[in-house]
């Protein structure tokens, strides 16, 4: 589950999500969206829901990737690469 945390926590969550999708042989985009929603909590879930609503019905893999990118953009700080030491 992912509610909030560091950028690393989110990347680990995403990696785990993609492994579950592959391992469970989830093919339909709608099923991928459902699985991701079940594993999100709090503000992260709200960001996912808002991105999904903005893009329309979850019917394509491209939309799924876009929603994940929006979630990553929300969690990562602005100019994260420049802030790295």
């Amino acid at each position: 589950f992912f509610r909030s945390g560091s950028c690393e926590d989110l990347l680990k969550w995403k990696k785990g999500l993609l492994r579950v999708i592959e391992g469970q042989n989830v093919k339909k985009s709608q099923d991928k969206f459902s699985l991701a929603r079940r594993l999100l909590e709090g503000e992260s879930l709200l960001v996912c829901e808002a991105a999904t609503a903005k893009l329309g019905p979850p019917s394509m893999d491209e939309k799924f990737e876009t929603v994940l990118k929006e979630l990553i953009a929300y969690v990562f700080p602005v100019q994260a690469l420049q802030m790295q030491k």
Side-chain angles (χ1 to χ4, degrees), residues 26-58:
V26 177
K27 298 291 184 188
K28 293 181 182 178
S29 295
Q30 294 165 333
D31 296 336
K32 292 177 184 179
F33 276 96
S34 294
L35 181 60
R37 279 191 214 109
R38 276 187 238 125
L39 298 175
L40 289 170
E41 298 175 334
E43 287 186 35
S44 300
L45 177 59
L46 295 175
V47 169
C48 179
E49 293 289 341
T52 303
K54 184 172 69 172
L55 294 173

Side-chain angles (χ1 to χ4, degrees), residues 2-11 13 40 43-45 47 68-78 80:
F2 184 78
R3 174 184 291 268
S4 63
S6 69
C7 300
E8 184 179 357
D9 292 337
L10 175 65
L11 294 176
W13 174 85
L40 289 170
E43 287 186 35
S44 300
L45 177 59
V47 169
L68 288 180
K69 287 178 184 176
E70 295 225 7
L71 180 60
I72 289 170
Y74 174 76
V75 173
F76 272 66
V78 177

